Amino acid sequence: MSELKKNTAEVQGEKEAAKKQAVGSSEKSNATMLEVRELSIQFGGLRAVDGLNLKIKKHQLYGLIGPNGAGKTTVFNMLTGVYKPTTGAIFLDGVNITGKSPVEINKSGIARTFQNIRLFKEMSVLDNVKVGMQNSTKYTTIEGILRLPRYFKEEKLMTERAVELLKVFELNGEKNALSANLPYGKQRKLEIARALATNPKLLLLDEPAAGMNPNETEELMNTIRFVRDKFDMTILLIEHDMKLVSGICEELTVLNFGQELAQGETSAVLNDPKVITAYLGD
Amino acid sequence: MKKTTKNNLITFGGTLILCVVLGILMQAGKLNSMTMGLMVTIGIYIIASTSLNLTVGVLGELSLGHAGFMCIGAFSSATVSQILINNAGAPNWLAFTLAILFGALMAAIFGFLIGIPVMRLRGDYLAIVTLGFGEILKSLFNNIYITSDKNGLHFGFTNPPKNIDTATKLEILRGPKGTSAPDLTNFWVVAAVLLICLIILMTFIDSKSGRACMAVRDNYIAAQSVGINVTKFRLMAFTLSAAIAGAAGALYMHSLANMLPKKFDYNMSILILVYVVLGGLGSLRGSIIATIVLYAIPGLLRGINQEIVNYRMLIYAIILICLMLWKNAPVFINMREKIKAKFKNKKNEAADLTSGGAEA
């Protein structure tokens, strides 16, 4: 175990070195997927997030935890462009995406799910996923109205891809149902499927296990791991369920009152007295 | 086959059959002139209500200025058709086709320009602003005068143009006194335009653009998060809706001997909105049926006897209220569901009996 830790530490050191070399050159040889530097946002007199630093490696499962009101969802909203940070910078795969609009940020490769599920309720399950493929579809509106060959070709391709994704999440049986009529757990899965349909590099999950029972959480953990491996995805997630966090996250950052309280490997962070105090009080 | 495709085919096929049947009856001389006039007007209103359904039902934004776009389509097409026929000597069919297209184009341009500020708003604010723009467009044509003579076209704003050669004078737009476009709209033209508009609406809604509009309607934050440019698709649907309304306006203009700008007022926008809402948001078939039924009711009431004429708007209002209750009041929704459940139970019982018999 200690050896393993040492190994990962070494690897990390190598990656750091590689990154230092890469600075100044256009080559993106470092393996950092998301880098956040000194990110802060101020709402009036309230500094909701204060000087947050994050570094998430490719293919990593990273957790962002903290007590209620710590600013976790605010961080997500800044990463996805819903809020513009007051100061700080966000780099996705080496590209600065600070202050871009949500649409541009999605196009550059971040997809997310929401704490309170936001599906397209009056649309079918299949169409929900197909909406996610909007930007990878090339036919124009005119081609769509005139039903030119490219419309049929690309729609067919889209449907095939969407069905494949739905199969991964075991939603294919309900593909024609209205998404609002799905049970809660499946709605969460559909949201992940929709986010994956946009072909992201980084997937942000905002409390994916909220409102799930232990069995569903267990299943969700498997799904998240599976998604990471199958789609070679980097995943950042916010979660309150400690079982899920300790079960799948490799590294954690703990936020408290907008500031970083602890950062590091999951088991170490969760045993940190500071973290325990923040959650349980003195 | 996909469910949407099937639904669309049923709607389109039904409309087509209805048009053909009515057309045959008309050619055979079985219909009186009042019914034929009614058919043309209903067809025009169907075009208007289905196009409004794109904004209200598919895009999910309440627009109260739809008559304004019909107004633009009507008066710009009347200008074109009169100039082409009287000044350029074009054949009627060509002039009318170009006039309808021009009306739709002008409405689309105005829809786009108005859409730029309007589509930044949501909900109630958007409704109020579209209401305002609808009235502005109406007032605009209340003040435009166009007259032609041997020297060419003369324009006037708020006052008729002066120094006109009286011998060759032809008034094209007469401001508040209205416009007399040639009477070119007949049943077949309306049916053709209606079917074309239906195809455009259906194919638009059942494409990635339509899906994007519905996604924006259902949850615009989520739509942005999957990379949908919200403003672009709202503007696109609003412009298309305006263009089709413009075509409807062009048909309407050419179906009446004299059309006043004040006809395209708030009441007309609301009337079309009533068809859309009672027909069902997002359902083209619903809009078509609601328009036919609700437009025909006042007309039929007029036909029953003279006594009832005085009360026809009262009866119409009561019918509207009842329909609204039937659609939305919890009591009636429960009642409908109970009836549905009863039917289902009966079916199930029947199925049980037959299957039980087979086992025995």
Side-chain angles (χ1 to χ4, degrees), chain A residues 237-260:
Chain A
L237 59 88
I238 293 177
E239 192 46 75
H240 279 301
D241 190 318
M242 283 305 147
K243 198 178 134 210
L244 185 134
V245 171
S246 56
I248 61 173
C249 291
E250 290 149 0
E251 269 189 64
L252 287 182
T253 288
V254 187
L255 274 184
N256 195 21
F257 297 117
Q259 283 174 325
E260 183 188 303

mmCIF file with all atom_site columns, all heavy atoms in Angstrom, chain A residues 237-260:
data_model
loop_
_atom_site.group_PDB
_atom_site.id
_atom_site.type_symbol
_atom_site.label_atom_id
_atom_site.label_alt_id
_atom_site.label_comp_id
_atom_site.label_asym_id
_atom_site.label_entity_id
_atom_site.label_seq_id
_atom_site.pdbx_PDB_ins_code
_atom_site.Cartn_x
_atom_site.Cartn_y
_atom_site.Cartn_z
_atom_site.occupancy
_atom_site.B_iso_or_equiv
_atom_site.pdbx_formal_charge
_atom_site.auth_seq_id
_atom_site.auth_comp_id
_atom_site.auth_asym_id
_atom_site.auth_atom_id
_atom_site.pdbx_PDB_model_num
ATOM 1   N N   . LEU A 1 237 ? -16.753 15.324 -9.076 1.00 0.00 ? 237 LEU A N   1
ATOM 2   C CA  . LEU A 1 237 ? -18.100 15.233 -8.533 1.00 0.00 ? 237 LEU A CA  1
ATOM 3   C C   . LEU A 1 237 ? -18.226 15.876 -7.166 1.00 0.00 ? 237 LEU A C   1
ATOM 4   O O   . LEU A 1 237 ? -17.280 15.904 -6.372 1.00 0.00 ? 237 LEU A O   1
ATOM 5   C CB  . LEU A 1 237 ? -18.605 13.783 -8.515 1.00 0.00 ? 237 LEU A CB  1
ATOM 6   C CG  . LEU A 1 237 ? -17.876 12.694 -7.767 1.00 0.00 ? 237 LEU A CG  1
ATOM 7   C CD1 . LEU A 1 237 ? -18.351 12.634 -6.330 1.00 0.00 ? 237 LEU A CD1 1
ATOM 8   C CD2 . LEU A 1 237 ? -18.172 11.359 -8.436 1.00 0.00 ? 237 LEU A CD2 1
ATOM 9   N N   . ILE A 1 238 ? -19.407 16.442 -6.940 1.00 0.00 ? 238 ILE A N   1
ATOM 10  C CA  . ILE A 1 238 ? -19.775 16.975 -5.630 1.00 0.00 ? 238 ILE A CA  1
ATOM 11  C C   . ILE A 1 238 ? -20.628 15.911 -4.976 1.00 0.00 ? 238 ILE A C   1
ATOM 12  O O   . ILE A 1 238 ? -21.513 15.352 -5.630 1.00 0.00 ? 238 ILE A O   1
ATOM 13  C CB  . ILE A 1 238 ? -20.639 18.246 -5.786 1.00 0.00 ? 238 ILE A CB  1
ATOM 14  C CG1 . ILE A 1 238 ? -19.822 19.377 -6.378 1.00 0.00 ? 238 ILE A CG1 1
ATOM 15  C CG2 . ILE A 1 238 ? -21.207 18.667 -4.430 1.00 0.00 ? 238 ILE A CG2 1
ATOM 16  C CD1 . ILE A 1 238 ? -20.637 20.628 -6.609 1.00 0.00 ? 238 ILE A CD1 1
ATOM 17  N N   . GLU A 1 239 ? -20.368 15.603 -3.704 1.00 0.00 ? 239 GLU A N   1
ATOM 18  C CA  . GLU A 1 239 ? -21.221 14.589 -3.086 1.00 0.00 ? 239 GLU A CA  1
ATOM 19  C C   . GLU A 1 239 ? -21.246 14.745 -1.576 1.00 0.00 ? 239 GLU A C   1
ATOM 20  O O   . GLU A 1 239 ? -20.270 15.176 -0.959 1.00 0.00 ? 239 GLU A O   1
ATOM 21  C CB  . GLU A 1 239 ? -20.729 13.190 -3.482 1.00 0.00 ? 239 GLU A CB  1
ATOM 22  C CG  . GLU A 1 239 ? -21.657 12.073 -3.162 1.00 0.00 ? 239 GLU A CG  1
ATOM 23  C CD  . GLU A 1 239 ? -23.086 12.342 -3.548 1.00 0.00 ? 239 GLU A CD  1
ATOM 24  O OE1 . GLU A 1 239 ? -23.405 12.291 -4.726 1.00 0.00 ? 239 GLU A OE1 1
ATOM 25  O OE2 . GLU A 1 239 ? -23.918 12.597 -2.638 1.00 0.00 ? 239 GLU A OE2 1
ATOM 26  N N   . HIS A 1 240 ? -22.388 14.411 -0.993 1.00 0.00 ? 240 HIS A N   1
ATOM 27  C CA  . HIS A 1 240 ? -22.501 14.387 0.465  1.00 0.00 ? 240 HIS A CA  1
ATOM 28  C C   . HIS A 1 240 ? -22.415 12.968 0.994  1.00 0.00 ? 240 HIS A C   1
ATOM 29  O O   . HIS A 1 240 ? -22.125 12.758 2.160  1.00 0.00 ? 240 HIS A O   1
ATOM 30  C CB  . HIS A 1 240 ? -23.840 14.997 0.901  1.00 0.00 ? 240 HIS A CB  1
ATOM 31  C CG  . HIS A 1 240 ? -23.804 16.482 0.930  1.00 0.00 ? 240 HIS A CG  1
ATOM 32  N ND1 . HIS A 1 240 ? -22.920 17.184 1.704  1.00 0.00 ? 240 HIS A ND1 1
ATOM 33  C CD2 . HIS A 1 240 ? -24.540 17.417 0.288  1.00 0.00 ? 240 HIS A CD2 1
ATOM 34  C CE1 . HIS A 1 240 ? -23.106 18.479 1.533  1.00 0.00 ? 240 HIS A CE1 1
ATOM 35  N NE2 . HIS A 1 240 ? -24.085 18.645 0.673  1.00 0.00 ? 240 HIS A NE2 1
ATOM 36  N N   . ASP A 1 241 ? -22.711 12.009 0.134  1.00 0.00 ? 241 ASP A N   1
ATOM 37  C CA  . ASP A 1 241 ? -22.735 10.617 0.552  1.00 0.00 ? 241 ASP A CA  1
ATOM 38  C C   . ASP A 1 241 ? -21.298 10.119 0.711  1.00 0.00 ? 241 ASP A C   1
ATOM 39  O O   . ASP A 1 241 ? -20.590 9.887  -0.270 1.00 0.00 ? 241 ASP A O   1
ATOM 40  C CB  . ASP A 1 241 ? -23.483 9.791  -0.514 1.00 0.00 ? 241 ASP A CB  1
ATOM 41  C CG  . ASP A 1 241 ? -23.749 8.394  -0.025 1.00 0.00 ? 241 ASP A CG  1
ATOM 42  O OD1 . ASP A 1 241 ? -22.840 7.810  0.599  1.00 0.00 ? 241 ASP A OD1 1
ATOM 43  O OD2 . ASP A 1 241 ? -24.856 7.884  -0.277 1.00 0.00 ? 241 ASP A OD2 1
ATOM 44  N N   . MET A 1 242 ? -20.857 9.968  1.977  1.00 0.00 ? 242 MET A N   1
ATOM 45  C CA  . MET A 1 242 ? -19.445 9.644  2.229  1.00 0.00 ? 242 MET A CA  1
ATOM 46  C C   . MET A 1 242 ? -19.080 8.251  1.734  1.00 0.00 ? 242 MET A C   1
ATOM 47  O O   . MET A 1 242 ? -17.933 7.981  1.394  1.00 0.00 ? 242 MET A O   1
ATOM 48  C CB  . MET A 1 242 ? -19.135 9.755  3.722  1.00 0.00 ? 242 MET A CB  1
ATOM 49  C CG  . MET A 1 242 ? -18.989 11.190 4.159  1.00 0.00 ? 242 MET A CG  1
ATOM 50  S SD  . MET A 1 242 ? -17.757 12.022 3.153  1.00 0.00 ? 242 MET A SD  1
ATOM 51  C CE  . MET A 1 242 ? -18.424 13.659 3.098  1.00 0.00 ? 242 MET A CE  1
ATOM 52  N N   . LYS A 1 243 ? -20.092 7.380  1.681  1.00 0.00 ? 243 LYS A N   1
ATOM 53  C CA  . LYS A 1 243 ? -19.819 6.031  1.200  1.00 0.00 ? 243 LYS A CA  1
ATOM 54  C C   . LYS A 1 243 ? -19.401 6.089  -0.270 1.00 0.00 ? 243 LYS A C   1
ATOM 55  O O   . LYS A 1 243 ? -18.424 5.453  -0.684 1.00 0.00 ? 243 LYS A O   1
ATOM 56  C CB  . LYS A 1 243 ? -21.085 5.187  1.352  1.00 0.00 ? 243 LYS A CB  1
ATOM 57  C CG  . LYS A 1 243 ? -20.822 3.693  1.302  1.00 0.00 ? 243 LYS A CG  1
ATOM 58  C CD  . LYS A 1 243 ? -22.105 2.922  1.511  1.00 0.00 ? 243 LYS A CD  1
ATOM 59  C CE  . LYS A 1 243 ? -22.206 1.824  0.489  1.00 0.00 ? 243 LYS A CE  1
ATOM 60  N NZ  . LYS A 1 243 ? -23.575 1.494  0.128  1.00 0.00 ? 243 LYS A NZ  1
ATOM 61  N N   . LEU A 1 244 ? -20.125 6.910  -1.017 1.00 0.00 ? 244 LEU A N   1
ATOM 62  C CA  . LEU A 1 244 ? -19.795 7.044  -2.439 1.00 0.00 ? 244 LEU A CA  1
ATOM 63  C C   . LEU A 1 244 ? -18.448 7.720  -2.591 1.00 0.00 ? 244 LEU A C   1
ATOM 64  O O   . LEU A 1 244 ? -17.607 7.286  -3.382 1.00 0.00 ? 244 LEU A O   1
ATOM 65  C CB  . LEU A 1 244 ? -20.897 7.842  -3.144 1.00 0.00 ? 244 LEU A CB  1
ATOM 66  C CG  . LEU A 1 244 ? -20.752 7.951  -4.656 1.00 0.00 ? 244 LEU A CG  1
ATOM 67  C CD1 . LEU A 1 244 ? -22.070 7.664  -5.335 1.00 0.00 ? 244 LEU A CD1 1
ATOM 68  C CD2 . LEU A 1 244 ? -20.257 9.302  -5.093 1.00 0.00 ? 244 LEU A CD2 1
ATOM 69  N N   . VAL A 1 245 ? -18.234 8.782  -1.827 1.00 0.00 ? 245 VAL A N   1
ATOM 70  C CA  . VAL A 1 245 ? -16.988 9.532  -1.941 1.00 0.00 ? 245 VAL A CA  1
ATOM 71  C C   . VAL A 1 245 ? -15.792 8.635  -1.628 1.00 0.00 ? 245 VAL A C   1
ATOM 72  O O   . VAL A 1 245 ? -14.841 8.555  -2.406 1.00 0.00 ? 245 VAL A O   1
ATOM 73  C CB  . VAL A 1 245 ? -17.010 10.749 -0.992 1.00 0.00 ? 245 VAL A CB  1
ATOM 74  C CG1 . VAL A 1 245 ? -15.642 11.408 -0.930 1.00 0.00 ? 245 VAL A CG1 1
ATOM 75  C CG2 . VAL A 1 245 ? -18.047 11.752 -1.462 1.00 0.00 ? 245 VAL A CG2 1
ATOM 76  N N   . SER A 1 246 ? -15.869 7.933  -0.489 1.00 0.00 ? 246 SER A N   1
ATOM 77  C CA  . SER A 1 246 ? -14.719 7.107  -0.118 1.00 0.00 ? 246 SER A CA  1
ATOM 78  C C   . SER A 1 246 ? -14.592 5.900  -1.034 1.00 0.00 ? 246 SER A C   1
ATOM 79  O O   . SER A 1 246 ? -13.511 5.359  -1.211 1.00 0.00 ? 246 SER A O   1
ATOM 80  C CB  . SER A 1 246 ? -14.830 6.665  1.342  1.00 0.00 ? 246 SER A CB  1
ATOM 81  O OG  . SER A 1 246 ? -16.058 5.990  1.515  1.00 0.00 ? 246 SER A OG  1
ATOM 82  N N   . GLY A 1 247 ? -15.713 5.505  -1.643 1.00 0.00 ? 247 GLY A N   1
ATOM 83  C CA  . GLY A 1 247 ? -15.693 4.338  -2.513 1.00 0.00 ? 247 GLY A CA  1
ATOM 84  C C   . GLY A 1 247 ? -15.059 4.581  -3.862 1.00 0.00 ? 247 GLY A C   1
ATOM 85  O O   . GLY A 1 247 ? -14.393 3.699  -4.406 1.00 0.00 ? 247 GLY A O   1
ATOM 86  N N   . ILE A 1 248 ? -15.258 5.742  -4.448 1.00 0.00 ? 248 ILE A N   1
ATOM 87  C CA  . ILE A 1 248 ? -14.779 5.910  -5.828 1.00 0.00 ? 248 ILE A CA  1
ATOM 88  C C   . ILE A 1 248 ? -13.805 7.058  -6.046 1.00 0.00 ? 248 ILE A C   1
ATOM 89  O O   . ILE A 1 248 ? -13.060 7.036  -7.011 1.00 0.00 ? 248 ILE A O   1
ATOM 90  C CB  . ILE A 1 248 ? -15.947 6.044  -6.842 1.00 0.00 ? 248 ILE A CB  1
ATOM 91  C CG1 . ILE A 1 248 ? -16.800 7.249  -6.542 1.00 0.00 ? 248 ILE A CG1 1
ATOM 92  C CG2 . ILE A 1 248 ? -16.761 4.775  -6.925 1.00 0.00 ? 248 ILE A CG2 1
ATOM 93  C CD1 . ILE A 1 248 ? -17.841 7.503  -7.616 1.00 0.00 ? 248 ILE A CD1 1
ATOM 94  N N   . CYS A 1 249 ? -13.813 8.071  -5.197 1.00 0.00 ? 249 CYS A N   1
ATOM 95  C CA  . CYS A 1 249 ? -12.949 9.219  -5.480 1.00 0.00 ? 249 CYS A CA  1
ATOM 96  C C   . CYS A 1 249 ? -11.503 8.892  -5.154 1.00 0.00 ? 249 CYS A C   1
ATOM 97  O O   . CYS A 1 249 ? -11.203 8.278  -4.134 1.00 0.00 ? 249 CYS A O   1
ATOM 98  C CB  . CYS A 1 249 ? -13.384 10.434 -4.666 1.00 0.00 ? 249 CYS A CB  1
ATOM 99  S SG  . CYS A 1 249 ? -14.958 11.065 -5.210 1.00 0.00 ? 249 CYS A SG  1
ATOM 100 N N   . GLU A 1 250 ? -10.605 9.315  -6.017 1.00 0.00 ? 250 GLU A N   1
ATOM 101 C CA  . GLU A 1 250 ? -9.192  9.070  -5.791 1.00 0.00 ? 250 GLU A CA  1
ATOM 102 C C   . GLU A 1 250 ? -8.564  10.206 -5.006 1.00 0.00 ? 250 GLU A C   1
ATOM 103 O O   . GLU A 1 250 ? -7.675  10.005 -4.194 1.00 0.00 ? 250 GLU A O   1
ATOM 104 C CB  . GLU A 1 250 ? -8.481  8.900  -7.129 1.00 0.00 ? 250 GLU A CB  1
ATOM 105 C CG  . GLU A 1 250 ? -8.886  7.595  -7.800 1.00 0.00 ? 250 GLU A CG  1
ATOM 106 C CD  . GLU A 1 250 ? -8.855  7.682  -9.309 1.00 0.00 ? 250 GLU A CD  1
ATOM 107 O OE1 . GLU A 1 250 ? -8.511  8.754  -9.844 1.00 0.00 ? 250 GLU A OE1 1
ATOM 108 O OE2 . GLU A 1 250 ? -9.191  6.677  -9.953 1.00 0.00 ? 250 GLU A OE2 1
ATOM 109 N N   . GLU A 1 251 ? -9.045  11.416 -5.312 1.00 0.00 ? 251 GLU A N   1
ATOM 110 C CA  . GLU A 1 251 ? -8.545  12.568 -4.575 1.00 0.00 ? 251 GLU A CA  1
ATOM 111 C C   . GLU A 1 251 ? -9.714  13.449 -4.204 1.00 0.00 ? 251 GLU A C   1
ATOM 112 O O   . GLU A 1 251 ? -10.769 13.418 -4.847 1.00 0.00 ? 251 GLU A O   1
ATOM 113 C CB  . GLU A 1 251 ? -7.557  13.368 -5.436 1.00 0.00 ? 251 GLU A CB  1
ATOM 114 C CG  . GLU A 1 251 ? -6.125  12.920 -5.269 1.00 0.00 ? 251 GLU A CG  1
ATOM 115 C CD  . GLU A 1 251 ? -5.171  13.876 -5.958 1.00 0.00 ? 251 GLU A CD  1
ATOM 116 O OE1 . GLU A 1 251 ? -5.117  15.043 -5.536 1.00 0.00 ? 251 GLU A OE1 1
ATOM 117 O OE2 . GLU A 1 251 ? -4.505  13.461 -6.913 1.00 0.00 ? 251 GLU A OE2 1
ATOM 118 N N   . LEU A 1 252 ? -9.509  14.253 -3.178 1.00 0.00 ? 252 LEU A N   1
ATOM 119 C CA  . LEU A 1 252 ? -10.594 15.107 -2.693 1.00 0.00 ? 252 LEU A CA  1
ATOM 120 C C   . LEU A 1 252 ? -10.091 16.521 -2.451 1.00 0.00 ? 252 LEU A C   1
ATOM 121 O O   . LEU A 1 252 ? -8.921  16.727 -2.138 1.00 0.00 ? 252 LEU A O   1
ATOM 122 C CB  . LEU A 1 252 ? -11.129 14.588 -1.356 1.00 0.00 ? 252 LEU A CB  1
ATOM 123 C CG  . LEU A 1 252 ? -11.974 13.329 -1.308 1.00 0.00 ? 252 LEU A CG  1
ATOM 124 C CD1 . LEU A 1 252 ? -12.395 13.079 0.128  1.00 0.00 ? 252 LEU A CD1 1
ATOM 125 C CD2 . LEU A 1 252 ? -13.191 13.471 -2.196 1.00 0.00 ? 252 LEU A CD2 1
ATOM 126 N N   . THR A 1 253 ? -11.007 17.462 -2.604 1.00 0.00 ? 253 THR A N   1
ATOM 127 C CA  . THR A 1 253 ? -10.770 18.794 -2.067 1.00 0.00 ? 253 THR A CA  1
ATOM 128 C C   . THR A 1 253 ? -11.947 19.089 -1.159 1.00 0.00 ? 253 THR A C   1
ATOM 129 O O   . THR A 1 253 ? -13.094 18.838 -1.538 1.00 0.00 ? 253 THR A O   1
ATOM 130 C CB  . THR A 1 253 ? -10.685 19.841 -3.194 1.00 0.00 ? 253 THR A CB  1
ATOM 131 O OG1 . THR A 1 253 ? -9.463  19.653 -3.887 1.00 0.00 ? 253 THR A OG1 1
ATOM 132 C CG2 . THR A 1 253 ? -10.721 21.246 -2.643 1.00 0.00 ? 253 THR A CG2 1
ATOM 133 N N   . VAL A 1 254 ? -11.670 19.573 0.039  1.00 0.00 ? 254 VAL A N   1
ATOM 134 C CA  . VAL A 1 254 ? -12.750 19.904 0.959  1.00 0.00 ? 254 VAL A CA  1
ATOM 135 C C   . VAL A 1 254 ? -12.874 21.417 1.017  1.00 0.00 ? 254 VAL A C   1
ATOM 136 O O   . VAL A 1 254 ? -11.889 22.128 1.225  1.00 0.00 ? 254 VAL A O   1
ATOM 137 C CB  . VAL A 1 254 ? -12.479 19.362 2.377  1.00 0.00 ? 254 VAL A CB  1
ATOM 138 C CG1 . VAL A 1 254 ? -13.688 19.583 3.253  1.00 0.00 ? 254 VAL A CG1 1
ATOM 139 C CG2 . VAL A 1 254 ? -12.132 17.900 2.314  1.00 0.00 ? 254 VAL A CG2 1
ATOM 140 N N   . LEU A 1 255 ? -14.090 21.905 0.786  1.00 0.00 ? 255 LEU A N   1
ATOM 141 C CA  . LEU A 1 255 ? -14.363 23.337 0.875  1.00 0.00 ? 255 LEU A CA  1
ATOM 142 C C   . LEU A 1 255 ? -15.093 23.610 2.178  1.00 0.00 ? 255 LEU A C   1
ATOM 143 O O   . LEU A 1 255 ? -15.932 22.826 2.611  1.00 0.00 ? 255 LEU A O   1
ATOM 144 C CB  . LEU A 1 255 ? -15.262 23.769 -0.276 1.00 0.00 ? 255 LEU A CB  1
ATOM 145 C CG  . LEU A 1 255 ? -14.663 24.149 -1.612 1.00 0.00 ? 255 LEU A CG  1
ATOM 146 C CD1 . LEU A 1 255 ? -15.776 24.627 -2.527 1.00 0.00 ? 255 LEU A CD1 1
ATOM 147 C CD2 . LEU A 1 255 ? -13.614 25.214 -1.468 1.00 0.00 ? 255 LEU A CD2 1
ATOM 148 N N   . ASN A 1 256 ? -14.776 24.731 2.809  1.00 0.00 ? 256 ASN A N   1
ATOM 149 C CA  . ASN A 1 256 ? -15.549 25.177 3.960  1.00 0.00 ? 256 ASN A CA  1
ATOM 150 C C   . ASN A 1 256 ? -15.601 26.694 3.919  1.00 0.00 ? 256 ASN A C   1
ATOM 151 O O   . ASN A 1 256 ? -14.569 27.351 3.853  1.00 0.00 ? 256 ASN A O   1
ATOM 152 C CB  . ASN A 1 256 ? -14.897 24.681 5.255  1.00 0.00 ? 256 ASN A CB  1
ATOM 153 C CG  . ASN A 1 256 ? -15.862 24.815 6.420  1.00 0.00 ? 256 ASN A CG  1
ATOM 154 O OD1 . ASN A 1 256 ? -17.063 24.898 6.213  1.00 0.00 ? 256 ASN A OD1 1
ATOM 155 N ND2 . ASN A 1 256 ? -15.320 24.851 7.618  1.00 0.00 ? 256 ASN A ND2 1
ATOM 156 N N   . PHE A 1 257 ? -16.783 27.251 3.937  1.00 0.00 ? 257 PHE A N   1
ATOM 157 C CA  . PHE A 1 257 ? -16.983 28.702 3.815  1.00 0.00 ? 257 PHE A CA  1
ATOM 158 C C   . PHE A 1 257 ? -16.196 29.276 2.644  1.00 0.00 ? 257 PHE A C   1
ATOM 159 O O   . PHE A 1 257 ? -15.566 30.315 2.750  1.00 0.00 ? 257 PHE A O   1
ATOM 160 C CB  . PHE A 1 257 ? -16.603 29.405 5.123  1.00 0.00 ? 257 PHE A CB  1
ATOM 161 C CG  . PHE A 1 257 ? -17.457 28.993 6.277  1.00 0.00 ? 257 PHE A CG  1
ATOM 162 C CD1 . PHE A 1 257 ? -16.922 28.351 7.375  1.00 0.00 ? 257 PHE A CD1 1
ATOM 163 C CD2 . PHE A 1 257 ? -18.834 29.235 6.247  1.00 0.00 ? 257 PHE A CD2 1
ATOM 164 C CE1 . PHE A 1 257 ? -17.722 27.957 8.432  1.00 0.00 ? 257 PHE A CE1 1
ATOM 165 C CE2 . PHE A 1 257 ? -19.625 28.846 7.311  1.00 0.00 ? 257 PHE A CE2 1
ATOM 166 C CZ  . PHE A 1 257 ? -19.082 28.207 8.405  1.00 0.00 ? 257 PHE A CZ  1
ATOM 167 N N   . GLY A 1 258 ? -16.228 28.578 1.521  1.00 0.00 ? 258 GLY A N   1
ATOM 168 C CA  . GLY A 1 258 ? -15.617 29.104 0.302  1.00 0.00 ? 258 GLY A CA  1
ATOM 169 C C   . GLY A 1 258 ? -14.113 28.929 0.223  1.00 0.00 ? 258 GLY A C   1
ATOM 170 O O   . GLY A 1 258 ? -13.494 29.307 -0.761 1.00 0.00 ? 258 GLY A O   1
ATOM 171 N N   . GLN A 1 259 ? -13.508 28.383 1.267  1.00 0.00 ? 259 GLN A N   1
ATOM 172 C CA  . GLN A 1 259 ? -12.056 28.236 1.229  1.00 0.00 ? 259 GLN A CA  1
ATOM 173 C C   . GLN A 1 259 ? -11.653 26.771 1.305  1.00 0.00 ? 259 GLN A C   1
ATOM 174 O O   . GLN A 1 259 ? -12.380 25.963 1.884  1.00 0.00 ? 259 GLN A O   1
ATOM 175 C CB  . GLN A 1 259 ? -11.421 29.001 2.385  1.00 0.00 ? 259 GLN A CB  1
ATOM 176 C CG  . GLN A 1 259 ? -11.379 30.486 2.106  1.00 0.00 ? 259 GLN A CG  1
ATOM 177 C CD  . GLN A 1 259 ? -10.894 31.271 3.298  1.00 0.00 ? 259 GLN A CD  1
ATOM 178 O OE1 . GLN A 1 259 ? -11.166 30.915 4.435  1.00 0.00 ? 259 GLN A OE1 1
ATOM 179 N NE2 . GLN A 1 259 ? -10.199 32.359 3.023  1.00 0.00 ? 259 GLN A NE2 1
ATOM 180 N N   . GLU A 1 260 ? -10.481 26.487 0.742  1.00 0.00 ? 260 GLU A N   1
ATOM 181 C CA  . GLU A 1 260 ? -10.011 25.115 0.753  1.00 0.00 ? 260 GLU A CA  1
ATOM 182 C C   . GLU A 1 260 ? -9.594  24.731 2.172  1.00 0.00 ? 260 GLU A C   1
ATOM 183 O O   . GLU A 1 260 ? -8.825  25.433 2.817  1.00 0.00 ? 260 GLU A O   1
ATOM 184 C CB  . GLU A 1 260 ? -8.822  24.975 -0.192 1.00 0.00 ? 260 GLU A CB  1
ATOM 185 C CG  . GLU A 1 260 ? -8.330  23.564 -0.298 1.00 0.00 ? 260 GLU A CG  1
ATOM 186 C CD  . GLU A 1 260 ? -7.031  23.489 -1.095 1.00 0.00 ? 260 GLU A CD  1
ATOM 187 O OE1 . GLU A 1 260 ? -7.022  23.933 -2.249 1.00 0.00 ? 260 GLU A OE1 1
ATOM 188 O OE2 . GLU A 1 260 ? -6.033  23.002 -0.537 1.00 0.00 ? 260 GLU A OE2 1
#
